[in-house]
């Protein structure tokens, strides 16, 4: 639950430029968090060099890959339905190979390959470089699997192709894995222990994006605030590092400042943050550099101390409130967004009211809100009874959603009458005569197109709003161009 899941892009099939000499066709779909979509770009890059061009037509594919998510039961059920579809097509085109990538691959490897026999290969999040070998195994008529989790792999040496890109914004992965062991979360088991990517390779990737005309990057990780580079290795082994390694280590605030200073005309976002790992120096770097967006996604999951302890969240309600106060003190115009789980095991009505009261304190700009679903393999799945009735979960979730809608409306209303800087990302869905982009606080802004173009930074006077969108008129280009 630690990653933002954009429902609008789930199941997107991805397309990139073709190479004439490539003779095979790859169809790749992604589900889940931004990290999965970023990983699909790495996979496409590896296979591009193995003779595969991408296609958006499933029936034409020699190889079909689905990059999967295990965060919620709904995501798993969606992927299962897609696998049924792939196999229906495969009966018509028996040469087509089907593979599962990502978190579900790691968790359900035996089921997919041996029991249900619905795929030809299974590849975990740390094994994408092994794809050429695995495909050779499949061609020889053997099932292929590699779900080994790595202590070192960060894919820092792979230049990802940009799949389905708008040419304006891109993800740059900086960490892999997670050490937090929240009791509801499968990520430590499907993506392994936390390790950080070498900072120079990150800077090189950002430079490449800048050279290609990109205007915004999102530094991506399961928990970006605990980024720590000391020459390689797991974060948990930092205590064994030499004094020189410790003295020259690069923390998240250092990396953020390096990128902000190195690319002053590029907008920088990051996701996701964990409350116990977000330290004050990061906030001062965000406040210092105008090109770092004033938006922090800060999952809390519950407002109840008792439930936070059951979730192993490693922070209390009061500590979270103190962090929120510090954010608004250091970065007065910062928006804060949330993840929230309704109906975690043993949650009482008082625990739920504690969540609502925390929301009243923070007044989040936006949120990702879910009813708890038990994930096999997690501590909660093994040790806790899923004892909150479904109707109670759904009622509590609806109350959370309704309150968030009110707060979102209040937060967008604050911008009416202000001029905000917008990076134009696309034409508005509702009208070809309008452009759409986001402001620094990650709120969508729509304004008349006039002569402005996608990829430009435009100052927009906000004249109206809905609960999730700002509406305005352009008043000129910003200094970021």
């Amino acid at each position: 639950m630690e990653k933002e899941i954009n429902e609008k892009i789930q199941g997107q099939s991805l397309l990139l430029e073709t190479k004439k000499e490539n003779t095979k066709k790859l169809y790749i779909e992604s589900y889940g968090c931004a990290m999965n979509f970023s990983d699909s770009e790495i996979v496409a890059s590896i296979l591009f060099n193995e003779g595969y061009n991408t296609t958006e037509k499933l029936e034409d594919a020699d190889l079909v890959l689905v990059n999967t998510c295990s965060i919620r039961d709904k995501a798993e059920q969606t992927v299962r339905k897609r696998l049924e579809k792939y196999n229906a097509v495969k009966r018509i085109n028996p040469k087509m190979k089907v593979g599962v990538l990502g978190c579900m691959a790691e968790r359900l490897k035996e089921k997919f390959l041996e029991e249900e026999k619905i795929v030809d290969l299974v590849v975990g999040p740390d094994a994408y470089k092994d794809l050429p070998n695995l495909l050779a195994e499949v061609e020889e008529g053997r099932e292929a699997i590699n779900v080994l989790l790595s202590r070192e792999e960060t894919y820092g040496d792979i230049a990802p192709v940009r799949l389905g890109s708008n040419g304006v914004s891109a993800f740059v992965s900086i960490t892999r894995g997670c050490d937090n062991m929240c009791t509801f979360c499968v990520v430590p088991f499907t993506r392994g222990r936390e390790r950080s990517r070498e900072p120079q390779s990150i800077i090189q990737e950002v430079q490449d994006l800048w050279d290609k005309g990109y205007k915004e990057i999102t530094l991506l990780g399961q928990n970006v605030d605990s980024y720590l580079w000391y020459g390689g290795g797991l974060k948990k082994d930092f205590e064994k590092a030499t004094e020189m390694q410790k003295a020259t280590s690069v923390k998240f605030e250092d990396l953020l400042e390096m990128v902000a200073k190195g690319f002053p005309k590029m907008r920088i976002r990051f996701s996701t943050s964990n409350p116990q790992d977000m330290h004050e120096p990061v906030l001062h770097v965000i406040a210092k550099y105008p090109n770092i967006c004033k938006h922090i996604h800060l999952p809390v999951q519950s407002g109840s101390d008792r439930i936070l302890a059951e979730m192993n969240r490693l922070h209390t309600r009061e500590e979270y409130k103190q962090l929120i106060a510090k954010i608004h003190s250091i970065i007065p115009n910062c928006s804060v967004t949330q993840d929230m789980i309704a109906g975690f095991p043993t949650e009482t009505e008082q625990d739920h009211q504690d969540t609502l009261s925390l929301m009243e304190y923070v007044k989040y700009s936006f949120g990702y809100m879910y009813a708890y679903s038990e994930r096999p393999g997690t501590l909660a799945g093994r040790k806790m009874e899923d004892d909150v009735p479904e109707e109670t979960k759904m009622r509590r979730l609806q109350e959370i959603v309704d309150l968030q809608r009110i707060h979102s409306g209040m937060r967008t209303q604050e911008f009416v009458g202000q001029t905000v800087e917008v990076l134009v990302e696309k034409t508005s869905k509702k009208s070809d005569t309008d452009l759409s982009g986001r402001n620094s606080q990650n709120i969508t802004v729509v304004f008349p197109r006039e002569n402005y173009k996608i990829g430009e930074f435009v100052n927009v006077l906000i004249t109206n709003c809905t609960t999730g969108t700002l509406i305005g008129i352009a008043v000129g280009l910003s200094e970021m161009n």
Side-chain angles (χ1 to χ4, degrees):
M1 202 71 73
E2 289 307 320
K3 298 301 305 154
E4 295 186 36
I5 294 178
N6 184 341
E7 301 292 357
K8 294 173 188 170
I9 60 172
Q10 298 303 297
Q12 209 172 62
S13 64
L14 304 169
L15 193 67
L16 61 142
E17 290 178 18
T18 59
K19 190 158 72 171
K20 272 193 299 188
E21 50 270 41
N22 283 2
T23 57
K24 293 173 281 189
K25 290 183 179 175
L26 165 69
Y27 179 93
I28 183 166
E29 276 184 2
S30 302
Y31 292 87
C33 66
M35 185 68 83
N36 272 14
F37 284 81
S38 177
D39 278 1
S40 289
E41 295 177 343
I42 289 167
V43 168
S45 182
I46 291 167
L47 291 178
F48 186 68
N49 294 324
E50 294 293 318
Y52 286 87
N53 286 330
T54 51
T55 176
E56 287 186 305
K57 196 171 178 187
L58 175 61
E59 292 75 11
D60 289 348
D62 299 289
L63 174 63
V64 176
L65 298 176
V66 57
N67 200 341
T68 61
C69 173
S70 276
I71 286 285
R72 288 183 285 159
D73 184 59
K74 180 184 172 188
E76 287 200 3
Q77 297 312 316
T78 302
V79 167
R80 285 192 167 278
K81 284 185 185 147
R82 291 305 290 157
L83 287 170
E84 287 172 19
K85 166 74 172 170
Y86 301 159
N87 279 282
V89 174
K90 191 175 179 180
R91 284 193 284 275
I92 302 163
N93 175 14
K95 288 194 289 188
M96 187 176 93
K97 305 302 180 192
V98 175
V100 171
L101 312 175
C103 296
M104 257 177 99
E106 206 289 325
R107 201 173 75 71
L108 296 174
K109 47 194 179 285
E110 287 89 2
K111 249 188 183 330
F112 283 151
L113 268 178
E114 292 158 24
E115 293 175 36
E116 299 178 16
K117 300 190 185 301
I118 53 175
V119 298
D120 301 291
L121 70 158
V122 174
V123 190
D126 289 348
Y128 298 141
K129 284 182 187 170
D130 198 29
L131 266 165
N133 299 326
L134 296 172
L135 287 168
E137 290 284 305
V138 171
E139 289 300 326
E140 294 291 324
R142 294 187 288 272
E143 294 168 339
I145 181 169
N146 185 342
V147 292
L148 294 175
L149 293 174
S150 168
R151 296 167 67 90
E152 291 90 25
E153 186 61 78
T154 64
Y155 298 109
D157 57 334
I158 302 284
V161 295
R162 301 298 162 178
L163 296 161
S165 170
N166 58 9
V168 177
S169 305
F171 296 125
V172 176
S173 179
I174 67 167
T175 70
R176 295 185 76 83
C178 186
D179 287 349
N180 285 332
M181 305 303 289
C182 299
T183 58
F184 55 79
C185 188
V186 295
V187 166
F189 308 106
T190 59
R191 286 188 172 269
R193 299 306 296 261
E194 189 173 310
R195 64 270 187 205
S196 297
R197 181 177 164 190
E198 197 269 321
Q200 206 48 49
S201 80
I202 296 169
I203 297 296
Q204 284 168 358
E205 185 174 336
V206 178
Q207 180 68 59
D208 180 59
L209 289 165
W210 175 253
D211 292 343
K212 288 175 178 170
Y214 283 80
K215 301 296 177 66
E216 178 183 272
I217 55 156
T218 300
L219 301 176
L220 201 61
Q222 233 64 46
N223 183 10
V224 290
D225 298 281
S226 63
Y227 175 90
L228 178 63
W229 174 261
Y230 59 97
L234 300 178
K235 187 192 173 188
K236 73 181 183 65
D237 294 334
F238 180 63
E239 60 190 32
K240 302 174 192 167
T242 66
E243 290 308 309
M244 177 61 78
Q245 284 177 313
K246 288 178 180 176
T248 57
S249 63
V250 177
K251 300 184 178 69
F252 182 56
E253 57 266 29
D254 305 320
L255 177 68
L256 196 56
E257 186 160 40
M258 284 163 64
V259 178
K261 281 172 74 173
F263 303 91
K265 296 293 186 180
M266 186 173 246
R267 206 187 240 189
I268 299 151
R269 300 185 185 276
F270 57 88
S271 184
T272 291
S273 298
N274 252 29
Q276 70 268 22
D277 294 305
M278 173 153 268
H279 305 301
E280 191 170 322
V282 174
L283 303 180
H284 287 292
V285 171
I286 297 168
K288 180 178 178 182
Y289 293 94
N291 58 328
I292 302 178
C293 289
K294 308 305 183 257
H295 165 236
I296 297 172
H297 186 64
L298 198 63
V300 65
Q301 312 300 1
S302 173
S304 158
D305 274 337
R306 192 182 70 79
I307 294 296
L308 288 170
E310 290 289 321
M311 291 176 167
N312 193 35
R313 285 296 286 168
L314 306 180
H315 65 85
T316 65
R317 172 192 174 95
E318 187 54 39
E319 286 166 344
Y320 187 88
K321 286 173 69 176
Q322 288 171 6
L323 178 55
I324 293 292
K326 194 174 283 186
I327 288 169
H328 289 310
S329 163
I330 295 169
I331 320 164
N333 58 339
C334 191
S335 71
V336 180
T337 53
Q338 48 91 341
D339 286 354
M340 206 73 77
I341 300 173
F344 190 78
T346 76
E347 184 185 71
T348 65
E349 202 57 38
Q350 184 55 56
D351 295 324
H352 173 59
Q353 292 302 319
D354 287 347
T355 293
L356 296 177
S357 70
L358 181 68
M359 291 177 70
E360 287 285 11
Y361 173 81
V362 180
K363 294 183 173 62
Y364 296 98
S365 296
F366 181 74
Y368 293 88
M369 299 150 283
Y370 312 101
Y372 173 74
S373 67
E374 187 178 282
R375 309 313 297 129
T378 62
L379 191 64
R382 295 198 308 272
K383 306 274 190 179
M384 301 177 190
E385 184 187 350
D386 187 3
D387 59 354
V388 179
E390 194 63 24
E391 61 270 24
T392 304
K393 283 184 192 175
M394 299 318 292
R395 191 255 305 162
R396 290 175 184 169
L397 175 61
Q398 193 58 53
E399 289 176 10
I400 289 169
V401 169
D402 290 344
L403 185 56
Q404 182 56 60
R405 191 171 289 123
I406 292 167
H407 293 159
S408 294
M410 292 168 63
R411 290 302 189 190
T412 53
Q413 187 65 43
E414 290 172 350
F415 286 95
V416 174
Q418 291 186 33
T419 297
V420 301
E421 183 184 76
V422 179
L423 173 57
V424 183
E425 295 176 71
K426 58 188 176 184
T427 299
S428 170
K429 281 183 185 169
K430 292 188 177 175
S431 170
D432 288 346
T433 62
D434 289 340
L435 293 173
S436 172
R438 288 171 295 160
N439 68 353
S440 178
Q441 288 75 17
N442 205 35
I443 301 171
T444 297
V445 182
V446 174
F447 63 95
R449 178 186 293 270
E450 298 178 43
N451 294 317
Y452 296 101
K453 299 179 184 69
I454 291 171
E456 289 182 332
F457 289 94
V458 180
N459 289 324
V460 178
L461 174 64
I462 304 304
T463 56
N464 203 350
C465 68
T466 68
T467 54
T469 305
L470 301 174
I471 300 158
I473 52 172
V475 293
L477 293 171
S478 89
E479 293 178 359
M480 277 286 283
N481 290 289

